[in-house]
Amino acid sequence: MLTKAQKDELVRQAVEVRNNAYCPYSHYAVGAALLTTDGRIYTGVNVENAVLPLTNCAEQTAIFRAVTDGVKSFAAIAVVTENAGMPCGACRQVMAEFNLEMIVLIADADGRVTRELTVAELLPGAFTPQDLI
Ligand code: THU
């Protein structure tokens, strides 16, 4: 169960880190803040590239930073864009790898949360590690 203080802090950090997004091509800045089950927060932004398909989404940046630190247990992620846009399909799949019950908070650039849902709701019938066993 996420507290209001945890949600507020996640959204606050996602709003703030969004300023570091590297998006000279789309001009669509995305900030993410990922809460681990042991209470740490990892942030991420989208990082675009002149070779456009090499773009890394903000959610994936945050998750990859946590995994790099040896952390793979996640409770929630806040995703902040100008218009409270939804996570792309690739990001939903990357989230599904680790926790279908993870809470996803969608917020706009002012930190207004417009949606709160689980990864399972975002990606019904997900292909998961269990499918490879
Ligand atoms: N983007 C993300 O960072 N996360 C998403 O879930 C959707 C899209 C980024 C990728 C690209 O830099 C820009 O938003 C426009 O697609």
Side-chain angles (χ1 to χ4, degrees):
M1 180 59 192
L2 277 184
T3 65
K4 183 177 178 321
Q6 283 175 314
K7 289 182 197 176
D8 289 350
E9 180 60 13
L10 266 190
V11 172
R12 190 190 70 73
Q13 290 202 26
V15 167
E16 190 178 295
V17 79
R18 181 171 169 267
N19 293 315
N20 297 337
Y22 178 73
C23 51
Y25 309 107
S26 73
H27 304 289
Y28 190 77
V30 186
L34 175 71
L35 177 67
T36 68
T37 53
D38 64 3
R40 285 181 263 184
I41 294 178
Y42 286 90
T43 57
V45 295
N46 51 332
V47 182
E48 298 185 348
N49 191 280
V51 179
L52 300 177
L54 296 184
T55 291
N56 208 81
C57 288
E59 299 91 317
Q60 294 183 51
T61 304
I63 291 170
F64 295 167
R65 287 180 78 190
V67 173
T68 301
D69 265 2
V71 188
K72 291 182 280 287
S73 182
F74 309 134
I77 189 167
V79 185
V80 168
T81 57
E82 187 63 40
N83 61 344
M86 296 295 281
C88 77
C91 287
R92 295 176 196 206
Q93 182 64 38
V94 172
M95 294 177 201
E97 178 74 15
F98 297 102
N99 182 6
L100 288 171
E101 297 312 313
M102 176 162 77
I103 301 294
V104 183
L105 301 166
I106 309 295
D108 68 17
D110 296 322
R112 267 188 300 265
V113 176
T114 59
R115 311 275 301 263
E116 176 177 338
L117 62 185
T118 64
V119 174
E121 288 171 319
L122 281 171
L123 192 62
F127 185 86
T128 68
Q130 282 68 43
D131 289 301
L132 289 180
I133 292 169

